[in-house]
Amino acid sequence: MSIDVNLDKATAQVRETGQNPAQRPTIAGFFDEATFTVSYVVHDAETSEAAIIDSVLDYDPASGSTGFGSADRIIEYITSNNLKVTWILETHAHADHLSAAPYLQEKLGGKLAIGADIVRVQEVFGKMFNAGTDFERDGSQFDHLFTDGETFRIGKLEAIALHVPGHTPADMAYLIGDAAFVGDTIFMPDYGTARADFPGGDARQLFHSIRRLLRLPRETRLFLCHDYKAPGRDEYAWETTVGQERDHNVHVRDGVTEDEFVAMRTTRDRTLAMPNLIMPSVQVNMRGGHLPEPEDNGVSYIKIPVNAVRRPA
């Protein structure tokens, strides 16, 4: 196995956190049942500096109206705990919910960040939605673009950004102390893994990204972006560990080969419908959570390309 310097750095961070509990982040999850999304507030208990991860903007597709109930829950938590937001992090350009990042940034501050390969997503979907030359495809809608292995801090908490493509080209996992926020790469052990059939997705790449994460120490805590309640489970859940995933994940546990995973994932993806909110979500999220520019009547419009995205067979 080739040396992965960035993963070695992440492994050392987890082990150091285990020896120094003061480096463990305080974590609050906020579940949005309408989109099955979990947003997180992660903060350093000593300095009260915080990051918000994968926020949700409420959206009613029937009326085209947005709302701030989900985001306001986060704001209430942050203000009631006297936290200072320094980062607003996106694990990827979500296809199932709109990001509330601009609203939260306006209310709370912080730098908006995503993975550097967002430019690939912007290029693909900029063409799909015919966004025009006014839509910059350089990631400039974000304050910071993370590269693989880049380190940052939330107060005194050590954090590392890891590039984990496959679900989309730009997926990132954020390891903060001993806790990894893995976006849509992997789900609870009884539910499996993310789809890889969106434009730019790749099942083989996803396998390698997941196995990379699962080389972290077994005690590493994993915080997931979604849960859909696997058959036989009555409660939503979004926290697991590397060890639990390696032992029990129904798609990618230890012993599952790359070819077996790719065959399963490709076959399964062919049966999946597109997410209900993929059209509005991607158009907004590739812009850093901003709506498309208003037209001459002052109204923003979401485009629906006809017959541009396949339906399941």
Side-chain angles (χ1 to χ4, degrees), residues 55-58 67-76 100 103-104:
S55 63
V56 173
L57 179 71
D58 302 333
F68 303 107
S70 297
D72 284 341
R73 290 170 56 207
I74 291 175
I75 292 173
E76 168 60 25
Y103 176 74
L104 291 168

Side-chain angles (χ1 to χ4, degrees), residues 99-262:
S99 170
Y103 176 74
L104 291 168
Q105 192 172 40
E106 178 185 351
K107 299 292 185 182
L108 301 170
K111 295 173 66 174
L112 174 58
I114 199 168
D117 274 13
I118 187 63
V119 298
R120 293 179 57 194
V121 175
Q122 290 176 328
E123 184 64 29
V124 170
F125 284 102
K127 290 179 180 177
M128 178 180 293
F129 292 112
N130 198 27
T133 56
D134 289 341
F135 171 55
E136 299 291 343
R137 295 158 168 82
D138 59 1
S140 57
Q141 300 84 353
F142 300 85
D143 299 313
H144 187 80
L145 302 181
F146 282 112
T147 57
D148 185 54
E150 186 175 349
T151 59
F152 61 107
R153 303 182 74 89
I154 303 166
K156 293 188 176 181
L157 297 175
E158 300 280 353
I160 298 175
L162 296 173
H163 187 213
V164 287
H167 174 61
T168 80
D171 280 64
M172 301 298 289
Y174 300 107
L175 182 68
I176 304 170
D178 67 336
F181 299 84
V182 299
D184 288 12
T185 54
I186 196 167
F187 298 137
M188 291 298 291
D190 58 358
Y191 199 86
T193 58
R195 64 195 299 164
D197 61 331
F198 294 149
D202 184 283
R204 202 166 294 278
Q205 198 173 47
L206 179 62
F207 178 84
H208 287 288
S209 291
I210 292 171
R211 295 310 308 180
R212 185 188 192 204
L213 289 173
L214 297 187
R215 284 166 54 199
L216 289 166
R218 290 179 61 88
E219 65 271 20
T220 307
R221 297 182 290 162
L222 302 180
F223 290 85
L224 319 177
C225 190
H226 296 288
D227 187 59
Y228 306 95
K229 291 197 295 191
R233 173 158 54 86
D234 296 327
E235 301 294 329
Y236 291 108
W238 47 80
E239 179 182 353
T240 182
T241 66
V242 164
Q244 290 169 340
E245 295 284 7
R246 290 184 61 171
D247 293 343
H248 303 296
N249 188 282
V250 295
H251 292 168
V252 73
R253 64 187 175 276
D254 285 359
V256 175
T257 68
E258 178 179 339
D259 286 342
E260 288 171 338
F261 174 81
V262 170

Side-chain angles (χ1 to χ4, degrees), residues 16 20-21 27 31 50 65 88 113 150 170 174 184 187 215 227 232 250 265 291 296-297:
E16 184 178 345
N20 183 3
I27 300 166
F31 186 67
S65 60
I88 299 175
E150 186 175 349
Y174 300 107
D184 288 12
F187 298 137
R215 284 166 54 199
D227 187 59
V250 295
R265 188 70 266 169
L291 298 174
D296 56 11
N297 61 355

Side-chain angles (χ1 to χ4, degrees), residues 4-34:
D4 186 335
V5 174
N6 293 331
L7 192 68
D8 289 346
K9 185 167 54 175
T11 296
Q13 177 177 297
V14 172
R15 290 178 174 156
E16 184 178 345
T17 302
Q19 297 168 3
N20 183 3
Q23 295 182 5
R24 284 171 61 95
T26 301
I27 300 166
F30 299 83
F31 186 67
D32 176 59
E33 190 166 359

